[in-house]
């Protein structure tokens, strides 16, 4: 095996037989191993591989395919292997092309003839699919917990934001003032759909492929349902070909993670804007910003930028796998080994991004004066003026035109909007009061709207949603 930095330390000279040595006269070429090994990345699945082997060997004994003595010898070898892998003292050899091969080799070294029975009725095709499903269940649940961690930060900042308001934008043009809490929770609700999606993916992928064998099942009296339940799966496969060739769940996981990344990217983009001198809506804590190697005055929002920038990579991981799957004939093909690296990468990157953004937002300082000064531009209340006319019987389209004309006049320098409104016989001084700073946001009273009463209710609804999601992620 050629050595690259990610590769496990091989013991070098030792090289056990390949799993297929009986059929082959010659051993594997160095180039073949270098190109086809998956050990450098599938090592991560070792605990799932051990769990799968334990369940398999117990199933073999329950079905009297092996004796209880043989089962216990293999289980004890699996215990030793586990201890070595978790202590980092496990020795890989050159012919360990993947984690499945490495574990089986070691178990056979430790338990001899009994170990040689471990792979009875099993193929690496159902084995690697089992391992990856177990991993994906665990990893997506962990990501969901981290998503909730970010939601809790948004909730906390929203609950403490009080009546602070800022411009709400459409087309990145100031549209109407909104409470800061409302803005923060908009991202929070998007993330709660992510949690829901991750949990739905976990529920759908909760199917054991173990017992499908290479593709067609077995002549031995295996008990796939028994091993499924032993491994904590909710269900067992219905079709052995589908069981070993299905990677829909990896594609779904990659989509879920890419969409989380897209949500984080949108948050990131706003924080890049908010922390710019032009906006000045927020300042980053020193611990969550970077400086410049050359420009002494700089304080840069690198976390927010990478939350935006790394999203391309997560979308790439999804599209890459979809292309790999497209056109593959049934059942297992080695192409399917390409399922793991994108999944691991997306899980790792989203986990890092969630932690970094949560810390960045938790520690940042908002600048209400800047937000409110931007929101208090007089024309921000234009819609309130039109709605004021509507409440007094003017058709909305006419009201829109009346106010639009006054906006045009104020932009042409004919006076402040408040003056023009006060002097207009359809509007007058009562209406002009709507243009005063801080008034407009209080008028967004509809359910789910951006004003104080509606947002107070929303905060409690969001808190309840987060609590219930926590219970769904980790049912007690
Ligand atoms: N390492 C492979 C994978 O991750 C599993 C091995 C199956 N290989 C085989 N030749 N049947 O997909």
């Amino acid at each position: 095996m050629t050595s690259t930095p990610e590769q496990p330390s091989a013991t070098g000279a030792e090289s056990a037989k390949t799993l297929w040595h009986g059929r082959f006269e010659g051993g594997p070429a160095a180039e073949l191993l270098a190109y086809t090994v998956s050990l450098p990345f599938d090592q991560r699945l070792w605990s799932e591989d051990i769990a799968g082997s334990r369940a398999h060997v117990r199933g073999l004994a329950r079905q009297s395919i092996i004796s209880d003595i043989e089962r216990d010898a293999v289980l004890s070898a699996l215990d030793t292997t586990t201890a070595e892998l978790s202590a980092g003292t496990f020795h890989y050899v050159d012919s360990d092309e993947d984690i499945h091969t490495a574990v089986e080799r070691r178990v056979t070294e430790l338990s001899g003839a009994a170990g040689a029975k471990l792979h009875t009725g099993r193929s690496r095709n159902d084995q690697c699919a089992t391992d990856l499903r177990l991993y994906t269940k665990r990893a997506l649940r962990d990501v969901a917990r981290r998503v909730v961690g970010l939601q809790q930060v948004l909730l906390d900042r929203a609950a403490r934001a009080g009546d602070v308001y800022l411009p709400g934008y459409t087309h990145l043009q100031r549209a109407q003032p909104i409470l800061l809490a409302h803005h923060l929770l908009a991202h929070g609700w998007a993330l709660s759909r992510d949690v829901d999606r991750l949990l739905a993916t976990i529920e759908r992928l909760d199917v054991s492929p173990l017992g499908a064998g290479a593709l067609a099942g077995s002549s031995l009296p295996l008990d796939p349902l028994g091993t499924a339940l032993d491994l904590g799966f909710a269900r067992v496969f219905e079709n052995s070909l589908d069981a070993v060739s299905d990677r829909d769940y990896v594609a779904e996981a990659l989509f879920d993670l890419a969409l989380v990344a897209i949500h984080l990217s949108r948050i990131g983009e706003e924080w890049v804007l908010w922390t710019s001198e032009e906006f000045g809506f927020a300042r980053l804590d020193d611990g969550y910003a970077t400086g410049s190697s050359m420009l002494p005055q700089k304080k840069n929002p690198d976390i927010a930028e990478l939350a935006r920038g790394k999203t391309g990579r997560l979308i790439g991981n999804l599209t890459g796998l979809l292309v790999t799957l497209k056109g593959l004939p049934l059942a297992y093909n080695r192409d399917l080994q390409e399922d793991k690296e994108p999944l691991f990468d997306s899980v790792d990157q989203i986990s890092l991004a969630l932690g970094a953004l949560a810390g960045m937002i938790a520690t940042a300082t908002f600048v209400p004066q800047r937000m409110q000064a931007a929101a208090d531009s007089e024309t921000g209340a234009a819609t309130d003026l039109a709605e004021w006319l509507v409440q007094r019987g003017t058709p909305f389209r006419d009201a829109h035109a009346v106010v639009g004309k006054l906006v045009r006049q104020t932009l042409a320098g004919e006076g402040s909007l408040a003056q023009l409104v006060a002097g207009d016989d359809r509007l007058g001084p009562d209406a002009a009061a709507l243009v005063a700073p801080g008034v407009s946001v209080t008028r967004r009273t509809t359910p789910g709207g951006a004003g104080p009463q509606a947002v107070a209710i929303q905060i409690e609804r969001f808190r309840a949603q987060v609590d219930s999601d926590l219970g769904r992620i980790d049912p007690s």
Side-chain angles (χ1 to χ4, degrees):
M1 190 190 298
T2 52
S3 81
T4 61
E6 308 96 351
Q7 275 174 350
S9 56
T11 50
E14 318 162 41
S15 160
K17 291 173 186 162
T18 59
L19 298 172
W20 51 85
H21 64 92
R23 164 71 177 76
F24 281 49
E25 261 174 51
E31 294 87 344
L32 172 113
L33 287 175
Y35 188 52
T36 61
V37 288
S38 53
L39 184 61
F41 46 87
D42 67 20
Q43 278 181 87
R44 178 190 294 232
L45 297 173
W46 72 260
S47 63
E48 285 81 13
D49 199 70
I50 299 266
S53 290
R54 285 195 173 117
H56 182 63
V57 84
R58 283 193 287 255
L60 292 175
R62 274 198 310 277
Q63 298 300 105
S64 305
I65 300 167
I66 63 171
S67 69
D68 289 357
I69 292 169
E70 288 167 329
R71 175 200 59 201
D72 293 344
V74 173
L75 288 174
S76 142
L78 284 164
D79 288 345
T80 306
T81 306
T82 302
E84 291 172 354
L85 282 161
S86 59
T89 56
F90 187 93
H91 287 293
Y92 291 98
V93 303
D94 289 357
S95 59
D96 289 344
E97 69 165 74
D98 54 27
I99 188 65
H100 325 295
T101 312
V103 169
E104 187 191 337
R105 171 192 53 78
R106 184 65 183 135
V107 166
T108 311
E109 280 167 11
L110 290 164
S111 59
K117 296 193 172 183
L118 167 59
H119 210 54
T120 310
R122 187 177 70 170
S123 158
R124 281 182 301 157
N125 299 350
D126 58 345
Q127 186 178 4
C128 70
T130 303
D131 292 4
L132 197 62
R133 282 186 192 256
L134 289 171
Y135 167 84
T136 308
K137 278 171 67 174
R138 176 166 64 86
L140 295 189
R141 209 173 283 287
D142 186 62
V143 169
R145 278 187 208 105
R146 288 172 200 264
V147 172
V148 173
L150 176 57
Q151 289 180 296
Q152 286 169 324
V153 168
L154 292 169
L155 172 61
D156 177 61
R157 299 296 324 233
R160 292 194 289 121
D163 289 340
V164 172
Y165 57 92
L166 76 167
Y169 296 84
T170 63
H171 313 267
L172 202 57
Q173 307 288 323
R174 289 176 192 163
Q176 289 184 300
I178 57 174
L179 284 192
L180 173 60
H182 192 61
H183 187 113
L184 294 170
L185 290 190
H187 293 299
W189 290 108
L191 294 172
S192 77
R193 292 191 295 277
D194 289 325
V195 171
D196 195 57
R197 206 172 283 114
L198 290 163
L199 293 174
T201 299
I202 291 172
E203 142 74 21
R204 207 167 10 253
L205 74 79
D206 203 359
V207 180
S208 177
L210 193 58
L215 75 163
S218 176
S219 64
L220 300 165
L222 302 175
D223 172 24
L225 180 60
T227 50
L229 299 178
D230 189 352
L231 283 168
F233 282 109
R235 302 181 297 287
V236 68
F237 67 90
E238 299 283 352
N239 177 308
S240 61
L241 285 178
D242 184 42
V244 291
S245 63
D246 172 23
R247 295 295 184 279
D248 292 359
Y249 65 99
V250 184
E252 280 191 49
L254 288 173
F255 172 77
D256 297 350
L257 297 169
L259 197 51
V260 176
I262 287 168
H263 292 148
L264 301 187
S265 174
R266 296 180 71 173
I267 295 174
E269 165 62 7
E270 283 183 353
W271 279 79
V272 170
L273 291 173
W274 285 11
T275 55
S276 68
E277 257 176 274
E278 283 69 13
F279 275 75
F281 287 1
R283 285 194 285 268
L284 297 180
D285 183 81
D286 285 358
Y288 290 89
T290 59
S292 158
S293 59
M294 177 174 162
L295 313 171
Q297 83 282 14
K298 291 301 294 295
K299 188 166 184 185
N300 295 327
D302 292 32
I303 291 174
E305 292 169 271
L306 283 173
R308 191 177 58 189
K310 287 186 189 241
T311 300
R313 173 167 165 184
L314 275 93
I315 296 168
N317 288 339
L318 169 62
T319 55
L321 182 78
L322 291 173
V323 175
T324 298
L325 297 180
K326 176 194 170 296
L328 280 187
L330 293 173
Y332 180 85
N333 300 272
R334 192 63 180 263
D335 314 46
L336 292 175
Q337 181 170 291
E338 290 293 302
D339 56 2
K340 282 171 272 297
E341 285 166 291
L343 180 62
F344 296 160
D345 184 57
S346 288
V347 166
D348 291 346
Q349 289 302 325
I350 215 69
S351 302
L352 291 169
L354 286 163
L357 273 182
M360 183 194 84
I361 295 173
T363 56
T365 307
F366 291 118
V367 188
Q369 309 86 294
R370 292 284 303 227
M371 292 182 173
Q372 293 177 182
D376 284 335
S377 71
E378 283 191 306
T379 51
T383 312
D384 299 289
L385 293 168
E387 286 172 0
W388 189 90
L389 286 171
V390 165
Q391 282 172 331
R392 282 151 191 81
T394 310
F396 177 73
R397 200 43 62 209
D398 300 336
H400 186 289
V402 167
V403 178
K405 184 162 179 226
L406 295 177
V407 168
R408 185 148 46 84
Q409 288 173 325
T410 189
L411 294 177
E414 293 176 26
S416 73
L417 187 62
Q419 287 165 346
L420 294 168
V421 168
D424 186 283
D425 49 14
R426 290 152 301 193
L427 288 154
D430 284 356
L434 300 181
V435 177
V439 174
S440 175
V441 71
T442 65
R443 297 179 61 83
R444 231 58 67 209
T445 49
T446 41
Q453 297 93 335
V455 168
I457 293 166
Q458 183 191 164
I459 288 173
E460 292 320 310
R461 292 179 70 89
F462 187 72
R463 195 188 304 281
Q465 176 77 43
V466 166
D467 287 346
S468 110
D469 284 348
L470 276 177
R472 291 166 69 209
I473 295 169
D474 290 303
S476 44

